[in-house]
Amino acid sequence: MINQKQLERILPKVEKPARYTGGEINSVVKQEAKVRLAFAFPDLYEIGMSHMGGHILYQLINEEEGLACERVLSPWTDMEAIMRKEGMPLFSLETKRTLKEFDFVGFTLQYEMSFTNILNMLDLGGLEVRRENRLESDPLVIAGGPCVYNPEPLADFIDLFVVGDGEDITLEIMRRYEKGNFSSKKDFLQSLLSLDGIYVPEFYQVDYKEDGTIESRRALVAEAPLVVQRTILKNLDEVYFPEKMIVPFIDTVHDRVMLELFRGCTRGCRFCQAGMIYRPVRERKKDTLVQLAEKLEASTGYEELSLSSLSSSDYTEIEPLINELTEKFAEKRVSLSLPSMRLDTFPKELLKKMQEVRKSGLTFAPEAGSQRLRDVINKGITEDDVIKTTEELFQMGWSTVKLYFMIGLPTETEEDVMGIKDLAYQVKERFFQIPREERKGNLRINVSAACFVPKPFTPFQWFGQPTMDEFKEKQVMLKKSMRDPKVSFSTHDAATSYIEAVIAKGDRRMGKAIETAWRNGAVFDGWGQFFKLNNWLTAFEEVGLDPVFYANRTRDFEEILPWDFLRVGVTKDFLWREYQRALNETITPDCRNNCEACGVIETYGKGVCR
């Protein structure tokens, strides 16, 4: 454990000391435990404490006798500088234990640009960043989250990846460790290989062709499966969900109760990794959700309840759920929010009822500026959906709308790019068609255009991302065209999106570049003020990797992709079929209405899809 007096002396010197004190409402301190996991979030406290998966695992593990879960988050740069100067290792918020004092250090991988923070946290915690250099007495480093659907870029640093729903499998790993029926860490890892969702990179070898593509993948021990199947929880009503959550002392990104309605999505947007890897849809019953909402509100005191899922308005009982929650929380002035709404399906009157307590701006995601390109990405909404919905909301009293788009999508033309501006201006015109005396508030349309990053296990995983220069040309084109004071425009940094794509589609060789970039100074690269492209370009040059090979190269179906050994439900054949449909501008309907044989039923059995 760290020196408490030393910590007390340091904290007044840093911004927001509450990031490092612990002791928040509903936090758990277990001084006695047989097995301890440090849940490590590789970003700032305010972001980590807004992560719903962390709250779930934290409370689940701490309700188990003999097991403990404590939080470790990436310290901000001011705190890190003092810690390194003082020789203070990274520590947990609950008991102030250092990383070396845990049995497991578990990272959640939410975003590729946080990967260097993982190495930084290991180093700050006194651990070797490469798994092969760590001691037998050191904790096992494990990882889960959406980025494990291509674990290879971190294979040099992580001992064990958990692919899929993490609740039950994490408990199983800790319970097996508690029994102690193993002679070494390697023996323990080998004993886990029979479980779904377990990937141990040290038990595999990858060979490459002269052109840099993958030749083959070999198991080095008999127990290691050549295909690793994702673990899945089929009945969410039987799955643990916390009845309380930690309430921080300082503002976080999401200061609200988060309630998970369901997992999965049936819409089939071709750019969306989450919509593919989390299939099939699994809903919680309305009564279960109402009970959880009441307990969470009572235990936290939050004044907002967020109904969170990939496409929340698609929840089967959304209207009765919102009606019941609105009635129950009306006297307490608890507002409801639905962060993921579709323009084509959500009842507008229900939205008005939701926001009677507290009205906020609205965010919609047309994603593409033209109908042709929306068909390419299978978005499933029309220009009329966008115009009609925003007009109705203006008539109901809203005046601030955010429209989210992407640039650099497959087959995109200059006309598609300019369609972003055209659509935003049409929305503006509809507001001013409302009689002046009926308008409420001052119109504000915020247009955001992200640079598209193709991800594994999507139909666009074969697509070569546009170059940085091509992205910048599109951004300049839009900035010059949007001169209306009622319409603001913002975009993402093209260089950051480029490096994100390089890592997202990387293989095992990417680990050397990640480590070199970190040693060059790359930390908090998801934060614009810290990202330096040269850190990465220099790293790629030093280790002999061509980033264009990973980000900008279009692949063919026969190529072995770094993540092909994972079985996640949707098949490679289905994804390729969807890619060809995209190139042909063909829509695939919502699979609730027409099964498209994506592979989920074959993988998990009949009855998994509703």
Side-chain angles (χ1 to χ4, degrees):
M1 295 184 188
I2 64 166
N3 186 305
Q4 186 67 35
K5 290 184 178 180
Q6 184 185 26
L7 178 62
E8 291 172 359
R9 177 171 53 81
I10 287 174
L11 288 182
K13 302 177 183 179
V14 302
E15 178 187 1
K16 297 185 180 179
R19 291 169 174 163
Y20 315 106
T21 58
E24 308 97 322
I25 296 171
N26 296 329
S27 61
V28 180
V29 177
K30 297 176 80 170
Q31 294 293 352
E32 300 297 327
K34 296 179 180 178
V35 181
R36 291 184 184 273
L37 180 142
F39 181 84
F41 195 92
D43 212 318
L44 195 62
Y45 176 94
E46 289 91 325
I47 298 175
M49 291 311 299
S50 300
H51 173 53
M52 182 166 62
H55 286 282
I56 293 172
L57 275 179
Y58 180 85
Q59 300 294 349
L60 168 66
I61 294 170
N62 281 323
E63 288 184 17
E64 294 285 318
E65 185 178 351
L67 306 183
C69 180
E70 303 184 30
R71 294 163 295 148
V72 179
L73 298 104
S74 186
W76 195 233
T77 53
D78 59 347
M79 182 64 170
E80 180 187 343
I82 296 176
M83 290 173 68
R84 290 193 182 278
K85 182 179 178 181
E86 296 264 347
M88 175 183 286
L90 188 60
F91 57 88
S92 70
L93 299 186
E94 279 71 18
T95 64
K96 305 302 183 290
R97 281 177 164 81
T98 66
L99 292 193
K100 277 181 167 287
E101 297 176 84
F102 285 86
D103 302 292
F104 297 94
V105 176
F107 287 95
T108 179
L109 310 182
Q110 297 294 312
Y111 178 39
E112 289 84 357
M113 299 310 293
S114 70
F115 283 5
T116 53
N117 276 25
I118 294 172
L119 274 58
N120 201 51
M121 291 175 72
L122 290 173
D123 179 67
L124 191 57
L127 298 172
E128 292 285 344
V129 297
R130 288 188 163 266
R131 55 178 167 76
E132 64 193 37
N133 295 333
R134 289 195 283 268
L135 302 175
E136 184 69 24
S137 59
D138 286 337
L140 283 165
V141 179
I142 65 178
C147 288
V148 301
Y149 288 84
N150 179 17
E152 292 300 81
L154 290 176
D156 291 339
F157 317 112
I158 305 296
D159 295 302
L160 166 67
F161 291 93
V162 175
V163 183
D165 296 325
E167 294 94 323
D168 287 357
I169 191 69
T170 302
L171 284 184
E172 175 68 16
I173 291 168
M174 295 180 74
R175 286 301 185 198
R176 288 194 179 198
Y177 191 88
E178 181 186 14
K179 291 177 182 177
N181 299 325
F182 52 91
S183 58
S184 65
K185 288 199 297 187
K186 185 174 182 178
D187 180 44
F188 173 70
L189 291 171
Q190 206 160 333
S191 73
L192 300 175
L193 292 174
S194 61
L195 300 173
D196 282 348
I198 296 298
Y199 173 54
V200 182
E202 75 169 286
F203 296 143
Y204 299 86
Q205 180 172 319
V206 181
D207 299 310
Y208 299 90
K209 300 178 183 178
E210 288 187 8
D211 66 0
T213 60
I214 294 175
E215 172 72 39
S216 64
R217 180 181 188 82
R218 294 180 287 136
L220 301 178
V221 296
E223 297 88 345
L226 288 177
V227 175
V228 176
Q229 179 160 311
R230 157 200 173 209
T231 182
I232 183 174
L233 299 171
K234 294 182 180 180
N235 187 340
L236 285 202
D237 279 309
E238 296 176 357
V239 173
Y240 177 87
F241 197 84
E243 297 178 359
K244 56 185 178 181
M245 292 180 176
I246 296 171
V247 183
F249 294 130
I250 58 176
D251 291 340
T252 61
V253 174
H254 299 305
D255 279 319
R256 60 186 74 116
V257 167
M258 293 172 285
L259 194 62
E260 183 186 35
L261 305 182
F262 58 89
R263 293 181 192 175
C265 184
T266 60
R267 292 289 182 168
C269 296
R270 292 172 180 137
F271 59 85
C272 181
Q273 184 187 52
M276 296 293 169
I277 62 177
Y278 294 139
R279 291 186 179 197
V281 169
R282 292 146 288 154
E283 291 190 349
R284 284 190 168 89
K285 293 177 182 177
K286 176 180 70 68
D287 291 345
T288 302
L289 291 167
V290 172
Q291 292 171 14
L292 285 170
E294 289 180 302
K295 291 175 180 177
L296 283 164
E297 187 278 329
S299 67
T300 63
Y302 276 127
E303 297 179 341
E304 182 178 347
L305 175 63
S306 177
L307 307 179
S308 300
S309 288
L310 286 177
S311 182
S312 301
S313 53
D314 282 341
Y315 179 64
T316 303
E317 297 183 276
I318 191 65
E319 290 195 49
L321 174 65
I322 288 177
N323 285 331
E324 188 166 346
L325 290 176
T326 303
E327 291 171 10
K328 283 187 177 292
F329 294 127
E331 289 187 7
K332 294 185 176 181
R333 304 290 293 170
V334 174
S335 65
L336 303 181
S337 65
L338 205 67
S340 181
M341 294 184 292
R342 284 188 61 91
L343 285 156
D344 55 336
T345 59
F346 195 72
K348 314 306 180 297
E349 288 299 325
L350 196 56
L351 178 60
K352 185 176 182 180
K353 183 174 184 178
M354 280 176 58
Q355 301 214 2
E356 285 176 351
V357 175
R358 189 178 300 108
K359 183 175 290 186
S360 61
L362 298 169
T363 300
F364 296 111
E367 310 290 4
S370 71
Q371 190 57 49
R372 185 199 72 81
L373 197 53
R374 281 191 290 275
D375 291 346
V376 167
I377 65 176
N378 207 46
K379 181 62 181 176
I381 61 170
T382 66
E383 185 173 291
D384 190 53
D385 290 327
V386 179
I387 302 301
K388 276 188 64 177
T389 299
T390 51
E391 182 179 22
E392 289 173 7
L393 293 170
F394 290 152
Q395 291 170 341
M396 292 164 61
W398 272 269
S399 59
T400 300
V401 176
K402 182 173 183 179
L403 300 175
Y404 182 88
F405 297 89
M406 288 182 285
I407 55 176
L409 290 160
T411 78
E412 184 180 66
T413 65
E414 183 176 321
E415 184 179 350
D416 298 320
V417 175
M418 294 309 297
I420 294 173
K421 174 252 185 182
D422 295 339
L423 188 56
Y425 276 46
Q426 287 186 63
V427 169
K428 182 205 73 170
E429 289 167 8
R430 290 302 176 105
F431 180 84
F432 288 106
Q433 288 175 6
I434 300 171
R436 183 182 295 274
E437 62 275 11
E438 296 179 17
R439 296 179 207 155
K440 296 180 181 178
N442 295 314
L443 176 66
R444 190 68 184 166
I445 300 174
N446 300 311
V447 178
S448 172
C451 296
F452 172 61
V453 178
K455 292 295 178 79
F457 291 107
T458 68
F460 294 153
Q461 64 183 356
W462 292 277
F463 173 67
Q465 186 190 49
T467 65
M468 286 187 286
D469 287 342
E470 289 170 334
F471 273 130
K472 290 173 183 176
E473 288 176 10
K474 298 171 192 288
Q475 292 169 342
V476 170
M477 191 189 311
L478 284 169
K479 286 177 181 177
K480 286 183 177 180
S481 69
M482 292 197 196
R483 299 295 188 184
D484 194 301
K486 297 293 183 184
V487 182
S488 68
F489 175 71
S490 63
T491 187
H492 291 191
D493 178 55
T496 305
S497 298
Y498 174 56
I499 300 302
E500 181 184 347
V502 174
I503 299 172
K505 300 175 82 171
D507 51 41
R508 282 200 175 195
R509 296 169 295 186
M510 191 59 58
K512 293 180 181 178
I514 293 171
E515 182 179 359
T516 304
W518 166 65
R519 295 193 187 279
N520 289 345
V523 290
F524 282 110
D525 274 349
W527 297 72
Q529 67 266 42
F530 297 115
F531 175 78
K532 292 181 177 63
L533 177 61
N534 193 56
N535 284 340
W536 288 95
L537 298 182
T538 301
F540 293 133
E541 185 175 356
E542 287 181 17
V543 303
L545 290 183
D546 179 9
V548 171
F549 175 84
Y550 295 99
N552 308 124
R553 180 175 61 90
T554 296
R555 294 149 173 78
D556 59 43
F557 180 75
E558 300 303 323
E559 180 175 336
I560 298 174
L561 304 176
W563 50 89
D564 273 350
F565 69 95
L566 295 178
R567 188 181 185 192
V568 303
V570 294
T571 64
K572 193 173 182 179
D573 285 340
F574 168 75
L575 295 174
W576 180 258
R577 189 164 71 243
E578 282 296 289
Y579 185 39
Q580 300 309 305
R581 284 186 171 186
L583 298 179
N584 292 323
E585 302 172 16
T586 303
I587 285 284
T588 298
D590 187 325
C591 68
R592 283 176 297 183
N593 306 319
N594 184 52
C595 179
E596 293 293 332
C598 71
V600 165
I601 291 176
E602 291 77 6
T603 302
Y604 302 117
K606 293 182 179 180
V608 297
C609 293
R610 59 187 176 92

